[in-house]
Amino acid sequence: MSLQQQITELESQLQGKSPAAALQLLSERFKGNIVFSTSFGLEDQAISHLIFSEKLPIDVFTLDTGRMFTETYSTWRSTLETYNQPIHAYYPNAEKLQFFVTEKGPNSFYESPDNRKECCGIRKVEPLKRALKGKQVWITGLRAEQSPDRQSTSQLEWDEGNQIIKFHPILHWTWDELNNFIRENHVPYNSLHDKGFVSIGCAPCTRAIRPGEDFRAGRWWWEDKSNKECGLHVHAEPGVENNS
């Protein structure tokens, strides 16, 4: 069966299912080969709740870039305390990071898009590839409402760069629906969300958004707003074939 046929079959099986039911189905079908990446933002906390409260066999991991907010580490701790389930941490390659910072300085990402993307590559993209190696399904907290680039994203897609199927269980949730879920289920969340932060990444690269700004305005705000991605998420390649 081709890869596209597998994805089409999965899409049919997931059609109409709630995020919880969809995660249950995928966790059973891909047991041992399905992972969820959390950055402890509101979206990811909602998905962590769905996984941890039902003790689904989905490994949860985070990418600790070394430049995260204190509030993010506090959310990490409170999540562990609430659910008593493991969250695996992946870190940047020490040698590559040391060379980059020594050569260009600790805040060189402000100086050019290339420097910023290199920093993201070392701190996030390469550790992610290690975390996803050998896995078949990657669960993410992407929502279509987050940016124009994500409006056309499919809930189930093939990530060519990481050679993995991606599933976005809350892709079509609105910001209000997400907040209601967090509140109703008493899910621990990052206190920065109460201060105008809607998207939370590394501390030097994230700010609160102003009234009327879009969801991604607080990320890498000093750059051209047309390219507000770090390389973790690439667009699916339609029609990709695989002989496995």
Side-chain angles (χ1 to χ4, degrees), residues 4 7-8 11 14-15 138-144 148-159 164-172 233-239:
Q4 191 59 48
I7 291 177
T8 300
E11 285 177 333
L14 296 172
Q15 185 71 31
W138 171 22
I139 307 298
T140 88
L142 289 187
R143 288 190 308 111
D149 289 341
R150 296 176 181 179
Q151 297 291 327
S152 60
T153 299
S154 299
Q155 194 167 32
L156 193 74
E157 59 179 348
W158 173 250
D159 185 322
I164 198 168
I165 294 170
K166 291 169 69 175
F167 179 61
H168 318 300
I170 62 171
L171 180 68
H172 302 298
H233 297 288
V234 295
H235 293 295
E237 297 290 335

Side-chain angles (χ1 to χ4, degrees), residues 38 51 53 58 62 77 93 95 103 105 112 121-122 136 174 178-179 190 199 204 220-221 229:
T38 178
I51 293 171
S53 61
I58 298 174
T62 191
R77 176 183 52 78
N93 177 283
E95 186 175 347
E103 182 184 49
S112 73
I122 293 170
Q136 293 178 282
T174 65
L178 176 60
N179 275 276
N190 195 321
S199 177
W220 311 297
W221 65 91
E229 299 290 352

Side-chain angles (χ1 to χ4, degrees), residues 10 14 22-30 34 139 167:
L10 272 178
L14 296 172
L23 289 171
Q24 178 74 49
L25 186 153
L26 290 173
S27 70
E28 293 172 353
R29 177 163 178 175
F30 296 96
I34 180 170
I139 307 298
F167 179 61

Side-chain angles (χ1 to χ4, degrees), residues 59-89:
D59 289 334
V60 178
F61 72 87
T62 191
L63 307 176
D64 187 347
T65 65
R67 301 298 296 266
M68 290 156 65
F69 286 96
T70 298
E71 291 87 347
T72 301
Y73 289 108
S74 295
T75 308
W76 185 346
R77 176 183 52 78
S78 61
T79 304
L80 293 173
E81 292 174 347
T82 299
Y83 301 103
N84 195 31
Q85 296 289 312
I87 298 173
H88 306 283

Side-chain angles (χ1 to χ4, degrees), residues 129-201:
K129 289 188 179 298
R130 280 188 270 123
L132 298 180
K133 186 176 181 181
K135 304 301 181 182
Q136 293 178 282
V137 178
W138 171 22
I139 307 298
T140 88
L142 289 187
R143 288 190 308 111
E145 192 180 57
Q146 290 170 326
S147 75
D149 289 341
R150 296 176 181 179
Q151 297 291 327
S152 60
T153 299
S154 299
Q155 194 167 32
L156 193 74
E157 59 179 348
W158 173 250
D159 185 322
E160 178 67 16
N162 291 300
Q163 294 289 296
I164 198 168
I165 294 170
K166 291 169 69 175
F167 179 61
H168 318 300
I170 62 171
L171 180 68
H172 302 298
W173 280 17
T174 65
W175 181 247
D176 287 341
E177 288 173 324
L178 176 60
N179 275 276
N180 289 339
F181 180 90
I182 294 293
R183 184 179 63 255
E184 291 169 3
N185 291 280
H186 308 289
V187 179
Y189 68 92
N190 195 321
S191 62
L192 290 174
H193 288 301
D194 295 330
K195 301 175 182 179
F197 288 78
V198 292
S199 177
I200 303 171

